[in-house]
Amino acid sequence: MISGALVRVEGVEFADLERALRVRLPSLALAQQGDELPARDGLRAFVDLRRTSPTQVQVALILADGRAYFRVVDTADEPPARPVAAALALLIAAIEDDSVAPDQRDVPVPPAIAEPSPLPVRSDVPKDTFIKNCPEVRPCPRPSLPPARPPAPPLELGLVRYDGASFGLDRPLAGVRGAMFGLGLDLRWRRGAIAAVEVRATVAPVDRHTLARVRVAAGAGFGVRVRAFELPIVGLVGVEWWGLPGGEVMVARASARPLIGGGLRLSPGFWLRLPAVAVRAGARAELWASGEPGPDGPRKPLLARPGEPALAAVGGVELNVGIEVGVWFDPGRRKRTGSKGQVR
């Protein structure tokens, strides 16, 4: 059982960390480097905390028996004392339960936590008299820590390509509305806010001709990331132009004016970060409603031959599904990187 810990901090307030640890580990004796730990039975530990970025703290825990554990704690732009204390409490509990293996063994142990050696006995004094050999005071060695992950860029720019199919959900003429493909440009801030603009085309055969639809949309939303997974949710509004060149099919209801619409887009996917860019692939599902503006509200155009049932519909309530692939860049990377690739 770990009875006490000597703590060295850099970029973290010791008083805040001590208060947060007292709540989680009330029986653990704590002392800052330079102070003396109270004498207790059990293992002693040396804890080294270094803040390497505004959102990350590196943690090294060395036990008196030479075992060492290293962690990187993400603080998510909040004061680091609470997340670091929570991570230390979980690590100490796992060590005491023997449910986590050390990252290194037989590392140099700081003298302040080293197990005391047997005391020598002088022959010319009574056997119950001892001479204590005090170790030389030396600074605690800096443990070798794994390299920190680079922090996420404050702004990312993504070029997104997507393909899929469109389905009408409202009658008449519910069902497949055609194949779609599009190109989008997304901006994502570190905290998750997203701004998007995209152009999409949909084509479908109607009466041996091709119904063509082109939509321009813009919107904003928020993206939730968990490790390599992300779920962006974006609301969009847009304008759609359409036409059916050739043939005898004509507009049976409404005219050929552009459609106005809006919808909600969900794009769950996974990231793969490369040295210069990041690649993201996933699915896309979009619920969209559109119509031709009129005095009585939006209307859905229907296409038909004169005197015959409708052959196709444009707009209404539609579900657009497909897959997307995006390439993401850090627009500020060139400014922050020197000629030899070193961050300034």
Side-chain angles (χ1 to χ4, degrees):
M1 181 176 178
I2 300 175
S3 61
L6 186 65
V7 183
R8 175 169 57 190
V9 293
E10 183 179 310
V12 181
E13 290 294 335
F14 177 76
D16 296 340
L17 177 70
E18 185 179 21
R19 283 194 296 269
L21 276 174
R22 292 293 181 203
V23 177
R24 295 166 174 82
L25 297 172
S27 62
L28 181 68
L30 290 175
Q32 193 171 3
Q33 185 183 12
D35 298 336
E36 185 177 350
L37 275 173
R40 290 189 181 181
D41 293 334
L43 275 175
R44 291 186 170 196
F46 173 72
V47 179
D48 182 78
L49 305 176
R50 282 189 286 174
R51 190 160 189 172
T52 57
S53 76
T55 60
Q56 286 187 333
V57 175
Q58 287 187 335
V59 178
L61 188 148
I62 300 176
L63 296 178
D65 58 7
R67 290 178 289 167
Y69 304 80
F70 305 115
R71 298 293 185 268
V72 177
V73 180
D74 291 323
T75 61
D77 295 333
E78 65 174 304
R82 293 180 61 186
V84 170
L88 275 174
L90 290 175
L91 178 59
I92 290 174
I95 293 172
E96 292 179 345
D97 293 341
D98 200 21
S99 60
V100 62
D103 297 304
Q104 293 183 19
R105 295 181 183 272
D106 300 324
V107 300
V109 177
I113 66 165
E115 295 290 343
S117 56
L119 301 177
V121 180
R122 292 179 56 179
S123 58
D124 57 345
V125 296
K127 293 183 178 181
D128 57 348
T129 304
F130 297 87
I131 299 177
K132 295 184 178 180
N133 294 329
C134 297
E136 180 185 356
V137 177
R138 294 179 297 171
C140 296
R142 284 279 186 183
S144 59
L145 299 177
R149 292 183 302 170
L155 180 67
E156 294 173 288
L157 176 66
L159 184 63
V160 183
R161 165 70 189 273
Y162 62 93
D163 300 275
S166 179
F167 301 88
L169 301 183
D170 58 340
R171 297 182 180 276
L173 299 174
V176 180
R177 294 282 176 85
M180 68 172 188
F181 52 93
L183 193 65
L185 193 66
D186 288 2
L187 281 174
R188 188 190 192 282
W189 283 263
R190 177 184 292 171
R191 292 185 178 274
I194 297 174
V197 61
E198 61 182 42
V199 178
R200 190 199 74 182
T202 305
V203 294
V206 177
D207 194 50
R208 301 186 303 276
H209 297 278
T210 301
L211 171 64
R213 303 167 58 181
V214 177
R215 189 190 79 185
V216 177
F222 190 83
V224 178
R225 282 185 184 173
V226 180
R227 299 185 183 274
F229 175 78
E230 182 185 38
L231 176 61
I233 304 173
V234 178
L236 296 165
V237 294
V239 181
E240 185 172 25
W241 292 266
W242 61 277
L244 184 68
E248 299 179 1
V249 176
M250 61 180 59
V251 179
R253 174 180 164 186
S255 64
R257 291 180 294 184
L259 309 181
I260 306 296
L264 188 66
R265 183 188 86 190
L266 280 75
S267 308
F270 291 89
W271 287 83
L272 175 61
R273 292 201 175 272
L274 303 176
V277 298
V279 179
R280 183 183 180 278
R284 171 180 287 228
E286 177 189 87
L287 185 63
W288 186 265
S290 62
E292 179 185 291
D296 299 327
R299 297 180 295 179
K300 178 175 66 175
L302 300 177
L303 307 180
R305 289 177 178 274
E308 295 184 6
L311 297 174
V314 184
V317 181
E318 296 174 311
L319 176 64
N320 306 313
V321 295
I323 58 174
E324 69 175 34
V325 177
V327 179
W328 288 78
F329 308 88
D330 175 7
R333 185 173 185 271
R334 182 172 297 178
K335 297 180 181 179
R336 297 195 300 270
T337 306
S339 59
K340 295 183 179 181
Q342 296 179 346
V343 178
R344 292 176 179 173

